[in-house]
Amino acid sequence: MAQRDAEFIRRWLEAAAEAVARDASRLTELDSAIGDADHGSNMRRGFAAVVATLADQPPTDPGGTLRVAGRTLISTVGGAAGPLYGTLLRSAGKALGDDPVVDDERLAEALRAGVDGVASLGGAAVGDKTMVDALLPAVSALPDYPAARQAAEEGAAATVPLRARKGRASYLGDRSTGHLDPGAASSALLIGALADAAAAGAEAGGAEAGGAEAGGAEAGDD
Amino acid sequence: MTERAPVGIVLVSHSAEVAESVARLAAGLAGGGQLAPTAAAGGRRDGGFGTSSELIAEAARRVDRGAGVAVLADLGSAVLTVQAMLAEGDELPRDTRLVDAPFVEGAVAALVTASAGGDLAAVAAAAGDAYTFRKT
């Protein structure tokens, strides 16, 4: 089983920042349908700040890296995604403690704790048309990274027919149906970036499982 | 209860104007005498609509006199950001509490109670009671 260090988390979050920047206008477009049209710009600002903070003062362990990234998101995103994604990363970071290296199973458990934190903060369950619809099936599939990517994408796509029960979109009632939830869409990007980082590590290391599915890393398949 | 340090009040809104206006309104409706310290933390630092954890932390530090800080928030990210900060433990003064209350009515009730020397529990209860004032 692969070992994950601070550098792995940093590569994940850098890949997430790139994906969010690339898809910022799509996220904002999704958010303009059922939200307040700021999700793309908020996420881009937040993840750019994460990359800058980690480059400036890189923590030496994966847990510390996640905690710093979470704190940065809470202070820079400016919308509900800030405390929600911030709590995801921070709770996961706390679960990892200060160990310099963790294996995939521990990282998976920590990310499950992070998603529990998100669900508890937002009071959301699967089916409420939120980030949780993409995140929960994804972390359940870990440590199989390609399966997590697929679960996140399917979970996000499954929000389209749902009626929103949380957040601003819930005010729209039935008019929220027929739209992809922007938070679920950005969650799929975050999980996709994690799978990319794992695939890149597998290619570089040569010996890790899951490398055969790494093609998605370059395909931009969203 | 006049000698005790007052509870501080922080008003968190998506809008800087709303937070500041509600602070002024509450001060105006709270009447004369010494008012408990109140600070507005509205919008993002760049002026846009949204929530800034840094503005919230600064406001809480500004009004903290050691007797606790009552935070009222409008909705969505304002509420979630305060909750996420409280969960962390070291980002807000000790004895900071997110008060479950309607924003405008709760702010008035909180300021009146805090200015009269009520402790944090009394301030939170008074603000929460504002939910029971039906309008129809």
Side-chain angles (χ1 to χ4, degrees):
Chain A
M1 185 172 290
Q3 300 291 309
R4 305 301 181 185
D5 57 6
E7 175 59 25
F8 173 78
I9 302 295
R10 203 153 52 237
R11 276 193 285 115
W12 166 27
L13 297 173
E14 282 168 6
E18 280 171 28
V20 162
R22 190 185 61 225
D23 278 22
S25 55
R26 181 177 72 97
L27 293 175
T28 289
E29 209 170 294
L30 292 171
D31 194 30
S32 67
I34 56 172
D36 51 1
D38 61 3
H39 190 53
S41 50
N42 282 349
M43 290 291 283
R44 180 165 53 191
R45 179 174 52 241
F47 275 87
V50 166
V51 170
T53 304
L54 293 180
D56 200 30
Q57 288 183 314
T60 54
D61 56 282
T65 306
L66 286 167
R67 294 192 296 272
V68 166
R71 181 179 286 238
T72 304
L73 287 179
I74 291 172
S75 67
T76 56
V77 169
L84 290 167
Y85 281 116
T87 294
L88 169 68
L89 299 186
R90 210 152 64 169
S91 302
K94 280 183 192 163
L96 290 181
D98 299 325
D99 293 344
V101 177
V102 297
D103 65 22
D104 272 337
E105 190 52 61
R106 267 200 72 201
L107 180 59
E109 277 169 28
L111 290 172
R112 283 178 208 129
V115 173
D116 284 349
V118 172
S120 150
L121 178 63
V126 166
D128 285 347
K129 200 180 181 92
T130 71
M131 294 162 56
V132 173
D133 288 311
L135 290 175
L136 196 65
V139 296
S140 302
L142 287 175
D144 183 337
Y145 292 94
R149 179 207 300 273
Q150 190 178 344
E153 287 172 0
E154 288 172 2
T159 65
V160 171
L162 295 175
R163 179 184 164 153
R165 286 200 285 258
K166 291 288 165 189
R168 184 196 174 285
S170 64
Y171 302 151
L172 296 174
D174 288 338
R175 282 179 292 140
S176 65
T177 62
H179 300 281
L180 179 62
D181 178 67
S186 59
S187 290
L189 292 179
L190 189 67
I191 298 295
L194 176 65
D196 285 350
E203 277 172 10
E208 310 296 349
E213 315 239 7
E218 318 299 337
D221 53 344
D222 56 338
Chain B
M1 6 206 280
T2 49
E3 295 305 314
R4 192 161 58 194
V7 170
I9 295 165
V10 173
L11 301 175
V12 183
S13 168
H14 279 58
S15 151
E17 290 90 339
V18 168
E20 281 153 21
S21 291
V22 171
R24 276 200 303 278
L25 175 65
L29 296 182
Q34 188 79 7
L35 293 179
T38 305
R44 298 201 313 256
R45 203 183 272 290
D46 65 10
F49 292 130
T51 309
S52 161
S53 64
E54 290 170 5
L55 291 179
I56 295 168
E58 285 167 18
R61 279 197 295 272
R62 218 157 52 232
V63 301
D64 180 26
R65 303 287 184 272
V69 176
V71 181
L72 287 89
D74 59 2
L75 74 169
S77 65
V79 175
L80 294 177
T81 299
V82 175
Q83 287 176 339
M85 294 173 78
L86 288 170
E88 186 60 5
D90 63 352
E91 296 183 348
L92 292 168
R94 271 165 49 90
D95 296 325
T96 298
R97 189 190 294 191
L98 175 62
V99 172
D100 185 15
F103 193 63
V104 176
E105 297 91 329
V108 176
L111 183 57
V112 169
T113 307
S115 302
D119 63 12
L120 184 57
V123 170
D129 266 354
Y131 274 133
T132 65
F133 303 155
R134 309 314 309 180
K135 295 173 188 176
T136 59

